[in-house]
Amino acid sequence: MNTTKNIIILVLVVLVAPQAVFSNDALLGVKTKRVSSKRDKTWKDLEVNIKSGWHRNNKCHITYTKNGKSHEKNFGNATVDKLVYALQKIRNKGGKVSLLKIKGHGNCCVQDMGGDTTIMVSGTEVMVKLIDGRMEMITQLLKDTIADDATVYLNGCRTGEAKDSIAQEMSKILPGRTIVGNNTLVIGIPFTTKTMGDKRYFRNGELIKD
C-alpha cells in the first residue's frame, strides 16, 4: 500500500511541479524562453541607412572576386551602414573579399566610421553600431564574405596598439585572415584609405609582423 502511495505522489510531483514553477514565474513577471545552445550560423541581411550625409575623410576600399573576376569598390562618406550594405551585396552574389581597408578615427578598442558608427569586438563577436543607434553582430557576415586568406586594414589610430586590441581580437574571430592595426597615432592621407604610421599585423591572435 505504501509503495502505491509513493508512486502516486511521485507522478503528481512530476506532473504538477513544472506547472507550479511556471505559475510562480508568471506571478513574478518573469518571462522564460528556451534558448538553443547552438548559435544560428545563417546570416540574415540587416536593414541599413545608406543615404547618410557627408562624413569628412572616412573612406573604405573593398577588393573582391566574383565568378573568377576581380572587382574593386571605393566609397567616401563611409559609415558602417554603407560597409554592411556593400558586404551583404557581395555575399548575396557569391563574391569573396580579399582586401578590406577602413579609414576613420580609432583607438585600441574601436574603429570609428562616419555618422557616429563604429566597429568593435565583444567576446567572440564583431559588433557594430549603426546610424540609428542599433547594436548588431556582424561576425557571420564577415566569415561568409571575407576570404580565408584576406587582409583587413583598420586604419584608425592605435587600433593595434595594446594587448587585446581590436585588430588582435578580430584576428582571433576571423582565423586565417590578416588583420592590420596601427600601433600609434597616424596621419590620414586625404582622399585615400591610407594612413602614415607604424602598423602591426595579426593572424589567429598572434602578432606576425611589427
Side-chain angles (χ1 to χ4, degrees):
M1 186 68 177
N2 287 337
T3 303
T4 304
K5 287 175 66 177
N6 290 339
I7 292 173
I8 292 171
I9 292 170
L10 179 62
V11 170
L12 289 172
V13 168
V14 170
L15 292 175
V16 175
Q19 297 176 14
V21 171
F22 177 80
S23 299
N24 288 339
D25 283 350
L27 288 170
L28 293 171
V30 177
K31 294 182 179 179
T32 57
K33 181 180 179 182
R34 291 184 180 274
V35 179
S36 172
S37 60
K38 186 176 181 181
R39 186 166 64 88
D40 183 8
K41 294 185 178 180
T42 303
W43 174 256
K44 297 177 182 178
D45 282 357
L46 298 176
E47 290 186 9
V48 292
N49 175 12
I50 60 171
K51 296 180 179 179
S52 55
W54 171 251
H55 302 292
R56 183 172 59 87
N57 207 30
N58 294 289
K59 308 293 180 186
C60 190
H61 167 89
I62 302 173
T63 300
Y64 67 99
T65 302
K66 185 180 72 173
N67 298 327
K69 294 183 179 180
S70 182
H71 304 268
E72 291 188 358
K73 181 174 180 59
N74 294 283
F75 49 97
N77 306 330
T79 63
V80 168
D81 292 63
K82 289 183 179 180
L83 173 61
V84 169
Y85 179 78
L87 292 178
Q88 288 180 161
K89 284 190 68 175
I90 292 169
R91 177 191 179 276
N92 294 339
K93 292 181 179 180
K96 283 289 185 181
V97 173
S98 59
L99 177 64
L100 172 60
K101 293 182 177 182
I102 300 167
K103 186 179 78 172
H105 292 298
N107 58 49
C108 66
C109 304
V110 172
Q111 172 65 61
D112 286 339
M113 296 184 74
D116 194 30
T117 62
T118 55
I119 303 169
M120 65 204 79
V121 169
S122 177
T124 59
E125 299 291 345
V126 179
M127 305 289 298
V128 294
K129 178 186 175 188
L130 301 173
I131 286 175
D132 63 8
R134 277 180 295 149
M135 297 293 296
E136 298 283 358
M137 293 185 295
I138 62 165
T139 310
Q140 195 59 48
L141 175 63
L142 297 178
K143 288 182 176 179
D144 289 351
T145 313
I146 298 178
D148 293 342
D149 59 350
T151 302
V152 177
Y153 285 83
L154 302 176
N155 277 336
C157 292
R158 294 176 169 168
T159 51
E161 179 184 41
K163 182 182 178 182
D164 301 328
S165 64
I166 183 174
Q168 184 175 16
E169 291 300 294
M170 193 178 290
S171 75
K172 297 176 186 177
I173 298 170
L174 303 174
R177 291 83 165 179
T178 300
I179 312 298
V180 186
N182 290 307
N183 193 32
T184 60
L185 293 172
V186 294
I187 299 173
I189 300 175
F191 311 111
T192 75
T193 56
K194 298 178 181 179
T195 56
M196 294 187 295
D198 294 333
K199 299 191 182 302
R200 305 179 85 188
Y201 296 72
F202 298 91
R203 188 180 300 139
N204 302 325
E206 300 294 330
L207 180 64
I208 61 171
K209 183 181 176 182
D210 196 351

